Amino acid sequence: MTEAKYLKYKDPKQPIAQRIKDLMSQMTLEEKIGQMTQIDRSVASNEIIKKYMIGSVLSGGGSVPAKQASPFTWIEMVNDFQKGALSTRLGIPLIYGIDAIHGHNSVYKATIFPHNVGLGVTRDPVLVKKIGAATALEVRATGIQYAFTPCIAVCRDPRWGRCYESYSEDPKIVKLMTEIIPGLQGDIPTGSRKGVPFVGGQDKVAACAKHYLGDGGTHLGANEGDTITDTKELFDIHMAAYYDAVVKGVATVMASYSSWNGVKMHSSRLLVTDFLKNRLKFKGFVISDWQGIDKITTPEHANYTYSIISGMNAGIDMFMIPHNYTEFIDGLTYLVKNKFISMTRVNDAVKRILRVKFTMGLFENPLADYSMAKYLGSKEHRDLAREAVRKTLVLLKKGKFPEKPLLPLPKKASKILVAGSHADNLGYQCGGWTIEWQGLSGDITDGTTILSAVKKTVDPKTQVIYNENPSENFVKSYNFDYAIVVVGELPYAETSGDNMNLTIPEPGPSTIKNVCGSVKCVVVLISGRPMVLKPYLNTIDALVAAWLPGTEGQGVTDVLFGDYGFTGKLAHTWFKSVDQLPMNVGDEHYDPLYPFGFGLTTQPRNNL
């Protein structure tokens, strides 16, 4: 037996640049194009990965190996795909990606953290960094090494269906929150070159700053719409957080579906190559969004050849082609062989993808570690999520009379009412991007609803009566001490969340009317953005914006009952009526219901 041939690219002692150079010198065009292709797990198999030398697999929203799959089921699937990649001629490991945008949100029993719209309220980069580290552990618990997060969009109009994925309308807060990146990836080593990706080991994941660029500034808040603005405003508002993301060593950047002044971001060479890669010196890879290049043309996929050329020449490196990957591979191969796309462009893409894979240590540790499974939904992570919930709550109104605040609520009472569609619905509490792409209703995973948290918090002698949508007569006949009404938006994601009227859906308004008209009440609003509140304000005694808190409902009652004080300050302006939109802090005609930065505070009860 001759000794196994020494391969420089497989030697971890070699500098990464040398390993990339050595590996690329041995790669065929087919192997390079395989690296640039990312397919969904639903069409992937060990054999397909081996045959097409696929470089990456993803789980789209809700694409799971089995309903309520355990971490071990996930690991077995990821490792099986990985073995397909390792059995190819060069054995280049696969990178597996998933949307973990508020915790490991597709996975049963994972900790679901508050959505970004709530986290921005905290203005607490240390907390967000801890959430990043916890999310990385839970993602690794299922064998996955790459998370499509954080969304560093600046939501300028709450009518946008992705506003809850944005930390704030203010670029300064969004910039502060890029601290989640070192949480996910690890702290960049001192003296690192600017823009070089960094992922620090097996308990960290590659992160993805998205959606580049201007996704939160589209006309009328339309998802995938057009951001109509000059260069100065685009850069001052929407680019601000990307500088920080690149400096913090973010591994990847995802292109936005949206356009800037009519030019699709997936085809913008100016912003992707000239600015991000050349000016900002970003050395990681740029990934397309789901079928992102198909949407370069209208109608979608109308001229796929043009879409491939346009996306490649803009500077996209990895293409999320969930299903029709052979069409992409054949198309790109033809275009390179016939000199419509240069080999230089292909090599730039592959070099960037390999740089991330080498940096992560994927060549040394390609297979997932079963011992990480213990981190999924761990007590420490749930405690962290509960702390995050407490800090995301914004107190908008304390009581009808300032001298007689209703909050904090007394734990000792003879009888209290809990009402509203969102009081005992974990799925509603978590919102979109939870278990499934659009979110779901009901007991969808492990967690604590606000109703069960109330029952755990009040004095054992206090009678808690729950009625989802009580009549006025019901409320009057019981002689309640006070009521907690929990209402809000139903779950949604992306375009299906675009909403021009922003009203609280029924039966929310009638529940508020029936309950708050007859008994002292606090309304807890569960929503992904500010909603129309003006019509109800006079009826309501106290009002709390709880955003989309996730699985740890106990964080809400911790503050309602005064174990902790309210500290949250609005990170999005609260409008009076939708006619005012878009309206952001600093605008000339700024006339909000509650201004940016507003939030009443209370002292914890033991300090009262």
Side-chain angles (χ1 to χ4, degrees), residues 357-428:
K357 290 183 175 186
F358 280 122
T359 303
M360 292 172 74
L362 269 184
F363 282 78
E364 290 68 55
N365 296 293
L367 295 170
D369 179 350
Y370 285 88
S371 71
M372 299 285 285
K374 63 178 183 283
Y375 292 114
L376 191 85
S378 71
K379 170 130 182 17
E380 292 79 1
H381 295 169
R382 290 185 181 276
D383 289 346
L384 175 65
R386 182 171 169 178
E387 177 196 344
V389 174
R390 293 196 288 264
K391 292 178 174 175
T392 59
L393 303 176
V394 181
L395 181 56
L396 298 174
K397 189 177 177 183
K398 265 188 201 179
K400 275 191 179 148
F401 307 104
E403 66 281 4
K404 281 195 186 161
L406 179 58
L407 297 176
L409 297 169
K411 291 181 185 178
K412 282 188 175 168
S414 60
K415 232 193 320 253
I416 67 172
L417 171 65
V418 178
S421 50
H422 289 55
D424 195 30
N425 192 314
L426 199 63
Y428 286 2

Side-chain angles (χ1 to χ4, degrees), residues 172-306:
K172 288 195 278 302
I173 291 180
V174 179
K175 207 170 166 179
L176 206 59
M177 295 304 176
T178 58
E179 199 54 24
I180 194 168
I181 293 167
L184 291 157
Q185 299 192 151
D187 287 303
I188 194 159
T190 44
S192 282
R193 269 174 54 227
K194 182 189 159 187
V196 176
F198 175 74
V199 183
Q202 300 312 292
D203 56 351
K204 296 295 178 187
V205 295
C208 179
K210 67 186 194 181
H211 308 89
Y212 186 84
L213 181 72
D215 51 342
T218 59
H219 181 58
L220 305 180
N223 192 43
E224 306 182 13
D226 193 6
T227 301
I228 305 163
T229 181
D230 59 22
T231 309
K232 185 182 185 319
E233 188 175 276
L234 183 80
F235 278 57
D236 288 353
I237 292 174
H238 301 284
M239 187 68 86
Y242 284 93
Y243 296 109
D244 280 42
V246 169
V247 167
K248 286 171 181 171
V250 75
T252 73
V253 169
M254 185 183 289
S256 179
Y257 285 134
S258 58
S259 306
W260 175 42
N261 296 337
V263 177
K264 295 269 187 186
M265 286 308 312
H266 277 74
S267 59
S268 174
R269 186 180 169 84
L270 175 76
L271 287 170
V272 177
T273 296
D274 300 349
F275 195 81
L276 179 64
K277 290 181 170 181
N278 298 344
R279 179 80 70 83
L280 290 191
K281 306 273 188 282
F282 172 63
K283 296 282 188 284
F285 67 79
V286 177
I287 186 168
S288 82
D289 206 333
W290 177 276
Q291 292 176 340
I293 60 164
D294 300 50
K295 297 186 184 211
I296 288 173
T297 58
T298 311
E300 263 177 58
H301 203 83
N303 182 341
Y304 201 52
T305 304
Y306 172 78

Side-chain angles (χ1 to χ4, degrees), residues 485-505:
V485 177
V486 193
V487 293
E489 292 191 285
L490 304 180
Y492 55 81
E494 301 190 41
T495 309
S496 65
D498 284 2
N499 184 330
M500 296 308 279
N501 60 30
L502 297 179
T503 49
I504 298 169

Side-chain angles (χ1 to χ4, degrees), residues 339-352:
K339 310 259 188 306
F340 291 102
I341 290 169
S342 72
M343 209 53 219
T344 316
R345 178 70 269 275
V346 172
N347 289 338
D348 169 58
V350 177
K351 186 189 288 183
R352 288 165 177 277

Side-chain angles (χ1 to χ4, degrees), residues 16-24 351 354-355 358:
I16 285 176
Q18 292 301 314
R19 297 176 77 182
I20 294 171
K21 196 174 169 188
D22 179 60
L23 178 50
M24 286 190 63
K351 186 189 288 183
L354 294 178
R355 183 179 289 125
F358 280 122

